[in-house]
Amino acid sequence: MKKITILGASGSIGRSAIAFLRMHRDKFSLDAVGFGSDWESAATIVEEFGCSAVSFADEPAAKAFRASGRAGACEVLGGAAAAAELAARPVDTVLAAISGSAGFPSVLAAIEAGNRLALANKEALVCGGPQLLGRAKERGATVVPIDSEHSAIFQCYLAGRPHEVAKILLTASGGPFRTWSKEAIRKATPAEALRHPNWSMGPKITLDSATLANKGLELIETAYYFGVDENRIEVLINTTSLLHSAVHYVDGTLIAMLGAADMRNAIGYGLTWPERLPTGVDLIDLGRIGRLEFEYVDDERFPCLGLARTALHAGQGGTMMYNAANEVAGRLFMTGAIGFTDIAAVIDKCLATDTSRFASALEDVVAADGEAKAFARSIAERHIAEAA
Ligand code: NDP
Ligand code: MG
């Protein structure tokens, strides 16, 4: 039996992971689960899996869960440090599926403890930079990517040696506004941005898919995880979301990974690697699908992708700023304070400053992320005032 901890268990990735564990109750036990505030989901999961511990970032939610009488023998932790406390406890795999840089402390804690990490929380890697993986190496913590593209690239890397890789092909769906005009995109509403054509995901990543900031974060994730320069990472839209990414080798071979647009595939692989188990995802029928369609990304309509390249050139302070500006501007868009194209404008303005001041040691990432977000808010306020 492999012991698993899932942080972000009520989210889109967390729920898919739990569905996978439910299929293989003889092979996995769900030892601990972490949440923001959703204690009712926690109660259902704890009752079903008999978890030993649960955490809530939100202290009142922890109190409400204790008071509900549904915790049984399960230990209940609450507060900002609770998820990191769970991540540090020895298990076979910690699945990091909290959304945004809020997941960083628990990712670092899992690594420090030498736990095997199944990493969905890309923002943690974007903030921590290459030093996060350096620390994982020192601590003997294996990090397996869960993001579908990175899971695909990871699998394509098994076909050759790292020094034989010529280029990485990172694919994108193009999001809901792929065919929209620049003017229509400018007027896009939060409801329209949350209508993804191919994937069902949490709200933050769905918005990021509409701006292509998600592909920007993934470009940075690819550069850091696989240790390649951004100029060796090509991004193409695969409108059908079937080709999850690929690797070009120096001999002209292109190794690609294909599968249905269903995260259970990458989640299952991340939890079972180097083995495979059924995930409940159907085999794809290429004859019925007929064609795989590719397009280039239009940088003019979707500037967030190119801005990620700028951020990478600026180093870890730059990628920290990219993530912070995107989180801040994304929230402002969702509350109606700024328009859709202002998200890229705010990121652009933030990156036009000296971002090296946000470069930080792993121990200081939380503080630097807070400073980068405060700076992004000040830039956004000025941007709003200028537009008025
Ligand atoms: P969701 O918004 O669906 O879920 C987020 C989860 O994190 C919830 O369980 C939430 O708990 C919890 N949470 C939020 N804030 C905190 C906090 N401060 N401390 C502890 N827990 C918290 O997100 P997704 O599942 O969509 O995404 C999770 C991560 O996986 C992201 O980094 C995303 O980029 C990545 N990813 C997601 C994919 C997808 O298909 N969804 C695909 C590839 C990557 P509560 O419900 O209580 O608020
Ligand atoms: Mg992805």
Side-chain angles (χ1 to χ4, degrees):
M1 287 291 267
K2 292 220 155 50
K3 273 174 140 182
I4 309 291
T5 290
I6 299 180
L7 303 174
S10 50
S12 160
I13 292 284
R15 282 181 276 116
S16 292
I18 287 169
F20 175 77
L21 299 187
R22 199 173 277 131
M23 286 181 69
H24 301 288
R25 291 293 292 260
D26 56 326
K27 293 187 176 66
F28 299 100
S29 67
L30 183 54
D31 190 54
V33 276
F35 303 84
S37 59
D38 185 355
W39 69 264
E40 280 166 359
S41 284
T44 312
I45 295 165
V46 164
E47 282 163 1
E48 180 181 354
F49 288 89
C51 308
S52 74
V54 57
S55 72
F56 298 93
D58 183 50
E59 189 73 70
K63 282 201 185 107
F65 183 43
R66 285 189 204 102
S68 74
R70 295 176 68 186
C74 177
E75 183 188 359
V76 183
L77 309 173
E85 191 177 333
L86 282 194
R89 296 185 179 178
V91 283
D92 290 289
T93 302
V94 174
L95 172 60
I98 294 174
S99 181
S101 62
F104 180 85
S106 49
V107 165
L108 181 59
I111 285 174
E112 291 288 13
N115 274 328
R116 184 177 181 280
L117 182 69
L119 183 67
N121 182 211
K122 65 192 88 184
E123 296 91 343
L125 182 53
V126 170
C127 291
Q131 52 185 343
L132 188 64
L133 295 167
R135 185 68 59 85
K137 219 171 195 177
E138 278 167 34
R139 296 286 190 265
T142 305
V143 181
V144 188
I146 291 284
D147 212 345
S148 58
E149 297 77 2
H150 306 77
S151 172
I153 299 164
F154 181 90
Q155 295 179 58
C156 296
Y157 259 67
L158 300 175
R161 304 208 171 122
H163 71 272
E164 296 162 352
V165 170
K167 211 162 73 166
I168 292 176
L169 168 59
L170 181 68
T171 51
S173 67
F177 305 144
R178 181 176 62 85
T179 58
W180 287 32
S181 70
K182 209 174 163 183
E183 189 48 27
I185 291 175
R186 198 178 60 76
K187 294 186 193 141
T189 65
E192 287 165 336
L194 291 186
R195 231 173 275 140
H196 197 285
N198 303 358
W199 293 94
S200 155
M201 309 181 286
K204 190 225 171 225
I205 184 174
T206 305
L207 171 62
D208 290 352
S209 298
T211 56
L212 261 67
N214 181 51
K215 214 45 58 182
L217 293 168
E218 291 184 355
L219 179 94
I220 298 166
E221 185 185 7
T222 306
Y224 285 162
Y225 189 89
F226 297 98
V228 293
D229 286 342
E230 62 81 20
N231 61 15
R232 289 209 295 143
I233 308 168
E234 172 188 27
V235 180
L236 272 184
I237 292 173
N238 169 219
T239 54
T240 49
S241 289
L242 287 165
L243 192 148
H244 296 308
S245 279
V247 171
H248 291 272
Y249 282 95
V250 288
D251 60 353
T253 299
L254 176 67
I255 303 283
M257 183 266 171
L258 287 84
D262 188 321
M263 282 307 294
R264 285 176 300 172
N265 199 322
I267 293 167
Y269 191 67
L271 294 176
T272 60
W273 174 81
E275 286 156 28
R276 292 181 189 271
L277 283 173
T279 57
V281 178
D282 289 337
L283 306 185
I284 54 174
D285 179 349
L286 287 176
R288 188 182 57 77
I289 293 160
R291 54 178 64 205
L292 292 170
E293 288 163 354
F294 298 98
E295 301 175 356
Y296 293 111
V297 174
D298 179 350
D299 291 322
E300 215 195 306
R301 284 184 303 136
F302 299 102
C304 288
L305 178 61
L307 289 169
R309 295 191 189 271
T310 307
L312 265 173
H313 283 285
Q316 184 231 343
T319 62
M320 168 93 74
M321 186 72 251
Y322 181 85
N323 181 69
N326 181 53
E327 287 194 26
V328 166
R331 277 200 203 113
L332 289 172
F333 169 69
M334 292 308 291
T335 58
I338 62 173
F340 187 80
T341 45
D342 294 321
I343 299 174
V346 169
I347 299 174
D348 192 6
K349 285 183 177 175
C350 288
L351 290 178
T353 65
D354 176 13
T355 53
S356 64
R357 66 192 188 282
F358 300 115
S360 65
L362 289 176
E363 289 64 28
D364 302 324
V365 160
V366 173
D369 175 53
E371 285 162 26
K373 282 183 179 152
F375 177 69
R377 273 189 288 274
S378 72
I379 292 278
E381 276 162 24
R382 207 176 315 153
H383 179 79
I384 294 167
E386 280 164 10

